[in-house]
């Protein structure tokens, strides 16, 4: 810190802020403050003072404008609950006030929502058009539509669909037959996943990979009449647990071939209140495959499933594309009778009425053997009551469709109900019986996972000489520079 003169050079006093905090170890005395150092500094500090004095006006004006902008910005910003409670140092008092303020804001939002619903009901009752709701701006509804976007009723796309590799499946002249295999040395987690997958894909067969290459499997599968090849890959870090992370989908015998990255896998056993799938052919829903590439990928997914869904099973397989991530879900839809009148949606949310005989009333007593015993006991009670009411129809059989779903649904609701007791209808304050309405809900069957398209190759899989239609690259497809542009 002190100035000293050596025989060869002169070292000046150091005034850098880094050295102002150093103690006696550097100079042997007490540390000096920044003010004292600036007061006793040499010509460099004097020049600094002169330059600072010359720019006082500019600094003052800049600080004044900055204060004005800051005040205006603070005035425009909305004061959140966190900002209102951030000054309270006591954690208990701060959390109590935070909860109260959040509760008041929730009540205000509820009041606005109820008022808006009443206004819509009044307008519909008067035959008027309700006030349109505000639609928030999202990346999905603000997406950039390029020349590959497929419009509804496009004749060119319809002509291509009639001549592509999947046309025979949609005309039902060919039925799908799928072969499923894995990477070499699969783990136990892979077989758990395949066990769930075989409940989703009909007409699927498993063959062990052993030492065969993908090209050899393609050749043997095509000669045996298989239409699709699904190869699931997993990482090899067995010390951290094996994880399924990839899917290679090859359409036989002429392609194309799609490579996907698989993530966010959740097996059926880990899904809360999951159901058990039946053997009915599922319905297929493809959402938001709106470009030429997305339309092609969606038809490739559809070719895996038979194009004759059995609606009695009420199974739904969904491939939902959002921001080029394909979410796979497997559900069953259930109709239930609930108390209270359900408000009908209008416009694009309008729903069709459901007949009373289509409402499912079974599977309401939980899971396992006890639930089946309760349902069986309730069924016997209903049969006895029908026999007592009409002796001539005592030998009538129960509905066959109801029998098909006796063990299919297990949604976990109402497990504590007594089977022999009939629940009295609920009445309101005036003593009148409350209205009931038929409502629909979904029960997830599993599994669930997410796919990300990595490449599309013409023909069957060929890692050396294959020709690619698409390879994921943010620079070439424009998705890296524009977040509102998508490939699928």
């Amino acid at each position: 810190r002190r100035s000293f003169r050596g025989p060869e050079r002169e070292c000046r006093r150091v005034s850098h802020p880094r050295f102002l905090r150093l103690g006696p170890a550097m100079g042997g005395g007490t540390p000096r403050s920044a003010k004292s150092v600036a007061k006793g500094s040499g010509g460099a500090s004097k020049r600094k003072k002169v330059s600072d004095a010359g720019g006082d006006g500019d600094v003052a004006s800049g600080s004044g404008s900055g204060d004005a902008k800051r005040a205006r910005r603070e005035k425009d910003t909305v004061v959140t609950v966190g900002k209102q409670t951030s000054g309270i140092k006591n954690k208990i008092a701060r959390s109590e006030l935070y909860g109260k303020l959040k509760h008041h804001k929730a009540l205000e939002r509820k009041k606005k929502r109820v008022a808006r619903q009443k206004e819509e009901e009044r307008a519909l009752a008067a035959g008027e058009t309700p006030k349109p709701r505000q639609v928030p701006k999202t990346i999905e509804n603000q997406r950039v539509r390029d020349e590959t976007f497929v419009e509804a009723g496009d004749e060119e796309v319809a002509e291509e669909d009639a001549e592509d590799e999947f046309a025979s499946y949609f005309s039902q002249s060919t039925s799908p037959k799928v072969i499923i295999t894995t990477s070499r040395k699969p783990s136990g987690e892979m077989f758990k996943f395949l066990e769930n997958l075989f409940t989703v894909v009909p007409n699927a067969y498993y063959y062990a990979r052993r030492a065969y290459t993908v090209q050899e499997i393609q050749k043997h599968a095509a000669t045996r009449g298989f239409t699709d090849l699904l190869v699931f890959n997993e990482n090899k870090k067995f010390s951290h647990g094996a994880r399924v992370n990839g899917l290679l989908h090859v359409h036989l015998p002429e392609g194309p071939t799609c490579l996907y990255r698989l993530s966010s896998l959740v097996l059926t056993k880990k899904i809360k209140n999951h159901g058990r799938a039946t053997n009915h052919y599922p319905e297929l829903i493809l959402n938001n495959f709106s470009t030429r590439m997305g339309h092609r990928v969606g038809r490739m997914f559809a070719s895996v499933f038979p194009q004759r869904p059995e609606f009695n099973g009420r199974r739904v397989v969904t491939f939902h594309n959002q921001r080029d991530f394909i979410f796979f879900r497997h559900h069953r839809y259930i109709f239930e009778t609930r108390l209270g009148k359900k408000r009908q949606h209008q416009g694009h949310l309008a729903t069709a009425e459901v007949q009373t005989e289509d409402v499912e009333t079974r599977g309401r007593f939980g899971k396992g053997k006890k639930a089946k015993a309760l349902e069986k006991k309730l069924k016997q009670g209903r049969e006895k009551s029908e026999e007592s009411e009409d002796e001539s129809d005592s030998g009538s059989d129960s509905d066959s469709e109801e029998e098909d779903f006796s063990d299919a649904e297990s949604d976990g609701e109402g497990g504590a109900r007594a089977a022999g007791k009939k629940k009295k209808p609920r009445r309101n304050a005036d003593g009148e019986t409350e209205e009931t309405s038929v409502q629909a809900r979904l029960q997830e069957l599993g599994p669930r996972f997410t796919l990300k398209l990595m490449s599309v190759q013409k023909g069957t899989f060929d890692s050396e000489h294959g020709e690619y239609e698409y390879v994921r690259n943010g620079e070439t497809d424009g998705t890296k520079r524009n977040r509102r542009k998508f490939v699928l």
Side-chain angles (χ1 to χ4, degrees):
R1 296 293 300 269
R2 296 177 179 178
S3 298
F4 65 94
R5 295 181 181 274
E8 299 178 357
R9 61 175 181 170
E10 176 183 355
C11 295
R12 295 183 178 180
R13 188 174 300 159
V14 181
S15 60
H16 194 277
R18 177 184 174 187
F19 299 97
L20 298 179
R21 296 190 298 270
L22 299 177
M26 287 292 295
T30 57
R32 301 166 63 186
S33 63
K35 186 176 180 180
S36 62
V37 171
K39 187 181 296 184
S41 58
S45 61
K46 290 180 180 179
R47 285 194 299 269
K48 185 177 181 182
K49 285 183 179 180
V50 172
S51 62
D52 291 345
D56 283 342
D58 298 335
V59 173
S61 61
S63 62
S65 60
D67 294 338
K69 291 180 180 179
R70 194 180 304 110
R72 198 181 307 114
R73 195 183 306 116
E74 291 177 357
K75 184 178 179 180
D76 295 339
T77 55
V78 179
V79 180
T80 61
V81 176
K83 290 182 179 179
Q84 296 178 15
T85 58
S86 61
I88 303 175
K89 296 183 178 181
N90 190 312
K91 183 178 180 180
I92 299 176
R94 183 173 67 248
S95 61
E96 289 180 356
L97 180 61
Y98 185 86
K100 290 180 181 178
L101 293 176
K102 292 288 284 186
H103 179 65
H104 289 318
K105 290 191 72 173
L107 290 179
E108 292 177 0
R109 287 197 300 267
K110 185 178 180 180
K111 288 180 181 178
K112 292 180 181 179
R113 184 171 63 252
V114 171
R116 185 175 63 248
Q117 291 177 356
K118 288 183 179 180
E119 180 64 24
E120 289 181 357
E121 292 178 355
R122 185 201 62 77
L124 292 173
E128 302 175 356
T129 303
K131 184 179 178 181
R133 297 187 179 184
Q134 295 182 353
V135 179
K137 290 184 178 180
T138 61
I139 295 180
E140 285 78 15
N141 58 27
Q142 299 294 317
R143 66 175 297 177
V144 177
R145 297 191 178 189
D146 54 3
E147 62 276 2
T148 63
F149 197 85
V150 177
E151 300 289 348
D154 194 337
E155 297 181 357
E156 184 179 355
V157 176
E159 293 177 358
E160 292 180 358
D161 292 345
E163 299 176 357
D164 65 357
E165 304 92 338
F166 318 109
S168 59
Y169 299 92
F170 292 93
S171 61
Q172 298 185 2
S173 60
T174 305
S175 59
K177 186 179 178 182
V178 185
I179 178 173
I180 298 178
T181 186
T182 63
S183 57
R184 292 186 177 93
K185 296 181 181 180
S187 64
E189 293 296 326
M190 174 67 77
F191 287 107
K192 291 180 182 178
F193 168 65
L194 294 182
E195 183 180 359
N196 294 164
L197 191 67
F198 278 109
T199 63
V200 179
V201 182
N203 302 328
Y205 302 87
Y206 170 75
Y207 283 87
R209 176 69 179 271
R210 295 191 178 92
Y212 296 108
T213 62
V214 177
Q215 286 84 352
E216 293 175 345
I217 297 175
Q218 289 175 168
K219 182 179 178 181
H220 294 304
T223 55
R224 285 166 175 77
F226 287 97
T227 60
D228 289 273
L229 170 62
L230 302 179
V231 183
F232 290 93
N233 185 53
E234 61 182 343
N235 63 345
K236 298 302 180 182
K237 297 179 181 179
F238 292 102
S239 59
H240 301 286
R243 180 172 54 89
V244 183
N245 62 357
L247 166 63
L248 179 66
H249 183 188
V250 184
H251 185 72
L252 301 174
E254 299 177 356
T257 302
C258 291
L259 177 64
Y260 302 94
R261 184 183 66 197
L262 193 148
S263 61
S264 304
L265 173 62
V266 181
L267 300 179
T268 302
K269 190 176 181 180
K270 295 185 179 180
I271 298 176
K272 187 178 180 181
N273 295 331
H274 66 272
R276 186 168 58 183
T278 59
N279 295 325
H280 298 83
Y281 287 163
E283 302 174 52
L284 191 64
I285 297 178
L286 303 171
N287 283 337
N288 297 337
F289 292 93
S290 52
T291 63
R292 289 290 185 94
M293 182 61 67
H295 186 71
R296 184 171 174 78
V297 171
R299 286 175 64 83
M300 191 170 180
F301 280 129
S303 65
V304 178
F305 298 87
Q307 300 302 312
R308 48 181 188 279
E310 298 176 352
F311 298 100
N312 293 335
R314 295 170 297 162
R315 287 178 55 201
V316 181
V317 173
T318 305
F319 290 92
H320 176 73
N321 174 43
Q322 186 171 356
R323 303 184 188 182
D324 288 344
F325 287 93
I326 303 171
F327 299 92
F328 173 85
R329 296 295 184 269
H330 183 204
H331 291 93
R332 174 192 293 115
Y333 54 91
I334 301 172
F335 298 111
E336 295 178 337
T337 303
R338 299 277 181 97
L339 292 175
K341 184 177 180 181
K342 185 179 179 182
R343 179 173 171 268
Q344 296 292 332
H345 291 292
Q346 300 294 330
H348 68 286
L349 297 177
T351 54
E353 296 183 359
V354 182
Q355 301 297 328
T356 308
E357 56 269 15
D358 294 336
V359 178
E360 183 61 49
T361 58
R362 304 184 67 86
R364 302 284 297 165
F365 299 95
K367 304 177 181 179
K369 296 181 179 179
K370 292 184 179 180
K372 293 181 181 180
L374 288 174
E375 290 189 7
K376 185 176 180 181
K377 189 175 180 180
L378 181 61
K379 179 183 174 182
Q380 292 175 356
R382 287 200 303 265
E383 290 178 353
K384 289 181 180 180
S385 61
E386 290 176 358
E387 290 176 359
S388 60
E389 290 177 0
D390 191 1
E391 296 180 357
S392 61
D393 297 335
S394 60
S396 61
D397 297 331
S398 61
D399 192 1
S400 60
E401 291 186 2
E402 194 173 3
E403 284 293 327
D404 292 338
F405 303 114
S406 59
D407 59 346
E409 296 184 9
S410 55
D411 53 359
E413 297 182 6
R417 295 183 188 174
K421 297 180 181 179
K422 290 186 178 181
K423 192 174 181 180
K424 295 182 179 180
R426 187 179 299 177
R427 299 180 181 276
N428 53 19
D430 300 333
E432 300 177 355
T433 305
E434 291 186 356
E435 296 183 2
T436 59
S437 61
V438 177
Q439 298 183 15
R441 68 179 181 89
L442 291 176
Q443 181 186 22
E444 191 167 0
L445 305 179
R448 70 169 76 142
F449 53 85
T450 305
L451 298 174
K452 179 73 172 180
L453 181 64
M454 307 303 293
S455 65
V456 179
Q457 185 178 359
K458 289 184 178 181
T460 56
F461 177 73
D462 188 356
S463 59
E464 295 182 358
H465 308 288
E467 181 181 355
Y468 288 88
E469 298 181 18
Y470 166 77
V471 177
R472 181 174 175 265
N473 189 344
E475 292 290 347
T476 57
D477 55 29
T479 57
K480 184 177 181 179
R481 301 183 181 277
N482 192 349
R483 294 181 59 199
R484 297 184 295 140
K485 187 176 181 180
F486 305 106
V487 177
L488 302 180

